[in-house]
């Protein structure tokens, strides 16, 4: 039976963006324009494995982007590709009357466009500071880190009048662990070993719409 969409969302699905919603890491695509891809990739991998603090790793990586022109955003968006099954997952979630949101340690300059393409209006991400048409090597505003992702999930649910038991969180890196643990159904997708070991549920990929099978199995067991 299809839920009545006029009665309000019955679930909230929140996804990470880099290496979850899309197949790439946006900061690595931006680093191509700065000539710092190898350095940034190494720090990203350490952060996603939980070996270093995300906030510190973000500052270190963003600093290497100083001087990159804002025109690079268009190239990065063109190179970012949705993970197989993303369109199907979002479409089915909407069909079921769910709200879908994105929470990213990446950048709003790219996330906003990805969200719009999928019909998602609720998202939270970092913002890059720009001066004279070039990146300064700093972010602006509150940093969206591991703790902030969980806060965003809780705030989205509260705004929708949903209990946390009605939330689903999907991510791949260590900075997703808090929101995965807080969600009613927390799913590690194609995740780093530390995440797969701690997440209640896992989908190895390659298709992210397999998350629907996890939700349906959990519901059937209740």
């Amino acid at each position: 039976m299809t839920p009545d969409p006029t009665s309000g969302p019955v679930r909230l699905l929140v996804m990470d963006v880099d290496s979850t919603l899309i197949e790439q890491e946006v900061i690595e695509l931006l680093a191509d324009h700065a000539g710092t891809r190898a350095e940034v990739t190494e720090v990203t991998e350490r952060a996603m494995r939980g070996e270093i603090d995300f906030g510190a790793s973000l500052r270190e990586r963003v600093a290497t982007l100083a001087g990159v022109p804002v025109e690079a955003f268009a190239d990065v968006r063109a190179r970012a590709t949705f993970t197989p099954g993303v369109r199907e997952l979002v479409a089915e979630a909407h069909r079921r009357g769910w709200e879908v949101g994105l929470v990213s340690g990446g950048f709003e300059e790219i996330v906003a466009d990805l969200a719009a393409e999928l019909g998602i209006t609720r998202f939270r991400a970092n913002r890059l500071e720009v001066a004279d048409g070039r990146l300064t090597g700093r972010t602006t505003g509150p940093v969206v880190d591991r703790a902030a992702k969980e806060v965003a999930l809780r705030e989205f649910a509260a705004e929708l009048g949903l209990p946390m038991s009605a939330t689903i969180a999907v991510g791949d890196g260590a900075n997703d662990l808090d929101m995965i643990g807080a969600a009613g159904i927390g799913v590690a997708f194609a995740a780093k070993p530390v995440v797969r070991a701690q997440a209640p549920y896992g989908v190895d990929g390659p298709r992210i719409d397999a998350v629907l099978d996890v939700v349906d199995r959990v519901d059937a067991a209740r």
Side-chain angles (χ1 to χ4, degrees), residues 143-165:
V143 171
V144 179
D145 57 10
R146 175 171 172 164
K149 286 190 170 190
E150 179 187 348
V151 169
L153 175 68
R154 292 184 181 279
E155 289 181 352
F156 290 171
E159 290 165 6
L160 294 164
L162 291 174
M164 287 300 291
S165 60

Side-chain angles (χ1 to χ4, degrees), residues 15-136:
M15 288 180 280
D16 170 49
V17 176
D18 295 329
S19 298
T20 301
L21 184 85
I22 61 173
E23 297 179 293
Q24 297 80 17
E25 294 281 332
V26 163
I27 198 164
E28 295 176 1
L29 300 182
L30 283 168
D32 283 338
H33 291 264
T36 58
R37 173 72 175 250
E39 176 185 345
V40 165
T41 297
E42 191 270 336
V43 177
T44 298
E45 284 297 314
R46 290 172 61 205
M48 292 303 97
R49 291 194 299 265
E51 295 173 5
I52 56 176
D53 173 73
F54 177 82
S57 77
L58 181 69
R59 288 190 296 274
E60 182 178 343
R61 289 175 291 164
V62 170
T64 75
L65 305 179
V68 171
V70 294
E71 288 79 11
F73 291 143
D75 171 71
V76 169
R77 175 62 192 91
R79 293 168 61 198
T81 53
F82 287 118
T83 296
V86 157
R87 293 184 186 278
E88 293 83 355
L89 172 59
V90 174
E92 176 61 14
H94 285 155
R95 189 194 72 80
R96 295 184 182 194
W98 300 357
E99 179 78 7
V100 182
L102 304 176
V103 180
S104 177
F107 308 111
E108 187 175 314
E109 292 82 359
I110 304 299
V111 172
D113 193 63
L114 296 168
E117 186 168 337
L118 294 169
I120 296 170
T121 59
R122 198 176 297 272
F123 59 87
R124 195 167 295 178
N126 294 299
R127 287 193 62 84
L128 291 163
E129 185 180 74
V130 175
D132 300 322
R134 294 183 179 274
L135 302 186
T136 66

Side-chain angles (χ1 to χ4, degrees), residues 200-217:
Y201 304 97
V203 169
D204 292 332
R207 294 187 62 87
I208 197 170
D209 51 350
V211 167
L212 292 165
D213 297 331
V214 173
V215 176
D216 292 344
R217 286 199 305 271

